[in-house]
Amino acid sequence: YIQTCSWHCNIRDPNEEEIRWQAYCMISFGVRTLEYYTFANAGGGPKTGAPIDVRGCPTKAYFAVKRMALGMKKISDLYVSYRSVGAFNVNSSPEKTPYLELYNPYKDFKPISEVKCNTPLLVGCFDKIEGEGHAFTLVNCQDFATPETANIKVKIDGKVTMYYDGDPTVLTSDDGWYDFTLTQGDGVFVTVD
């Protein structure tokens, strides 16, 4: 479930970047279904930030979830043709990024030989269910309190296609290195053939 509202008037509602971050973190671990709070805020009670307000009008959360969901829908058929084999993190430590601590990180994902990044990063790893091929996600996991754009270099062996907001772009390498730039809370799905 993606948190799209605060459930309490003293807690701020998640913004669009935080909604995207939740979705990309979830698919990085192989989640097959994303669900989110869609009921209208009927007024009264502690809930705030529902995608539909008490008058039945869409809110900022509605449009943020809609953009995220449309991007996910564009990759859904492709995404489910892979199976999750694990995830690992880059630039993470229990002291500085406890939210990114993994107890059993995946090691030796064959298509990726090296990752360089200036921010904490989550990498989800996937193998094709039928036939040859791999995929991975990249998620900028910099703390939202100190936003920073992630500048990522990944050494990859294979043909690389990046899906940003569900739209494919075939990437070219610089001697096997591929560059990715992700703003705060952003993520991408990448295939390697």
Side-chain angles (χ1 to χ4, degrees):
Y1 284 92
I2 295 173
Q3 178 188 355
T4 57
C5 66
S6 70
W7 291 98
H8 195 276
C9 59
N10 292 331
I11 301 171
R12 70 172 180 75
D13 299 318
N15 62 27
E16 184 166 352
E17 291 79 17
E18 292 163 331
I19 290 169
R20 287 179 59 78
W21 177 78
Q22 291 177 76
Y24 275 98
C25 284
M26 283 189 244
I27 69 168
S28 294
F29 291 99
V31 167
R32 294 295 207 191
T33 303
L34 297 174
E35 296 185 30
Y36 40 89
Y37 178 77
T38 57
F39 298 102
N41 185 352
K47 295 187 293 283
T48 67
I52 304 296
D53 69 16
V54 294
R55 297 163 303 188
C57 298
T59 66
K60 286 193 313 188
Y62 172 88
F63 295 105
V65 169
K66 181 179 178 181
R67 280 187 289 275
M68 178 275 301
L70 289 174
M72 291 292 166
K73 184 176 183 199
K74 288 179 185 178
I75 65 167
S76 65
D77 288 342
L78 177 65
Y79 174 78
V80 298
S81 69
Y82 293 87
R83 66 177 174 82
S84 173
V85 294
F88 65 92
N89 54 37
V90 177
N91 295 334
S92 177
S93 70
E95 301 79 31
K96 292 185 178 178
T97 54
Y99 55 88
L100 193 52
E101 186 67 14
L102 301 176
Y103 295 104
N104 190 19
Y106 188 68
K107 295 179 178 19
D108 301 321
F109 184 55
K110 303 239 183 290
I112 296 176
S113 56
E114 193 173 348
V115 178
K116 298 177 183 178
C117 185
N118 62 312
T119 68
L121 183 72
L122 175 63
V123 183
C125 306
F126 301 83
D127 288 338
K128 195 95 165 152
I129 292 172
E130 293 182 17
E132 296 295 316
H134 306 279
F136 61 91
T137 57
L138 297 172
V139 186
N140 180 352
C141 285
Q142 175 68 27
D143 188 327
F144 280 93
T146 55
E148 186 174 350
T149 296
N151 298 304
I152 308 158
K153 293 180 106 24
V154 184
K155 185 134 192 184
I156 303 169
D157 183 23
K159 177 186 169 196
V160 175
T161 305
M162 174 183 71
Y163 294 82
Y164 184 79
D165 272 343
D167 297 322
T169 302
V170 176
L171 302 180
T172 57
S173 75
D174 180 10
D175 198 25
W177 287 94
Y178 291 84
D179 294 322
F180 301 87
T181 302
L182 299 175
T183 58
Q184 183 63 46
D186 222 347
V188 291
F189 184 70
V190 181
T191 58
V192 182
D193 296 308

